Amino acid sequence: MKIFMWIGIVMLVMTIASVLVVAAFSFYANSPSTHNATAYDSKISNQYYRQDDKVVYVLDGNFFQIGEKEIEGADPETFEVIDQSYAKDINNIYYNGKPVASANPNSVTLVTSEFNENSANSGYLISDGKVFCYGEVIEGADPTTFTYLFGSYAMDKDYLYYYIDIKIPRKATPTAISNANDRYIRHGEQVLYNGEVISNETSVFKIISDEYAVDASHVYSHGEIVEAMVADGFTVISPYYRKDKNQAYYFNTPIPESDSNTFEVLNDDISKDQNNLYYNGYIVANKKPSEVSRSVADNLQKIWKWKSLHLDATSVILVPSDDIEDITNDFYAYENEVYSRDKKLVDVKPADVIVLDQEESAYVRIGGEIFYYGSTIIGAEPETFMVVGGRFAKDANHVYWGEHRVIDAVPATFKYVDNLYADENEEGEYRLKMAEY
């Protein structure tokens, strides 16, 4: 017992020592002095450095993983940083190490915000009567009234701006929404997400979580309407489950036949209500909800003990993993029945599943159909179908690359050679190509 204890202590010490060595090396490799570089003003920016007689840009100061890049033509004697991303010299203004076209280094005003105390690095700058966002000019913006708001939102007397290319005529003074992230903004009766109007019901618009919001009419997920959901009774139950007054959801997918009033989550995979037991949002057809407690559900969650087999688009069965035979990665045998990844195959027995390439088990024949990794090869002729190699197959009429028909190959003469593949064109057709290395 003591031997194992000492082995454990030694392993722990070795792990800690390895971590310390890696940390020390990373600190050394990432230090500007290691690269003979000196920050112009490390309190303002960790991205601009003088290295010998040149100016270099280092994204986020990461010398070790990203490295430095010389700013061509920058004057090291007159160079100075403006904020984290902007800098200037006697000739140019720079954003992230690149010259800003039509900006004047003798005319620089950073745009900050009266609404946001953390706006020192907003990305907005005014120079020579022009407004710039992340180094690009915002056409038509009014420099005398332009102000930064938060996130990527800004405004002047006429417009509300999001980044460079989205501008919306001003109707009111935009404001933040309580508990919302900076992708949202209230603009009069409008609610915007990523610069797009998503709701005209600001008076009832409410943030539910970082992902979800509701108004009187809709539920929104990352600013997009979730068509199946209704706002009435909507709540996030857990990271995987939600519900409204009508039904429950696995992520944003309705759980069939679910009862919102009695729905409960047992773990990340298993849930139930008065009607059914559910596995990842599918009805479990072979178990009653009354039979499954939280402890039983935790056992069913163990994938090395239990596996789900799909009956159809809405239901599964949960069966012992040891009782399932993997015919291939896409077809399974259980109690002399065959299941694909998404359904039970009617009137198909395990002996009916013929694997055509034993090495990869990618091509399978079942009755009069040919499959490639579970996908049907439309129009394949089973009597003459044969695997060629390199993902290619053919029958008397066509050559196939996986489940796709190759339109410029002749089956009678086709042979596979190394580096040959098929590529999809704009019309959705597959043609032969040779990989170049």
Side-chain angles (χ1 to χ4, degrees), residues 342-356:
D342 58 2
K343 64 183 177 181
K344 180 181 178 181
L345 304 188
V346 179
D347 296 330
V348 175
K349 302 300 179 185
D352 300 329
V353 182
I354 310 300
V355 179
L356 300 178

Side-chain angles (χ1 to χ4, degrees), residues 99 103 138 141 166 186 193 234 244 247 274 302 315 340 427-428:
I138 304 178
I166 295 178
R186 177 183 285 111
Y193 183 87
F234 178 80
D244 58 26
Q247 60 189 335
Q274 66 179 9
K302 298 174 180 177
S315 61
S340 67
E427 289 74 36

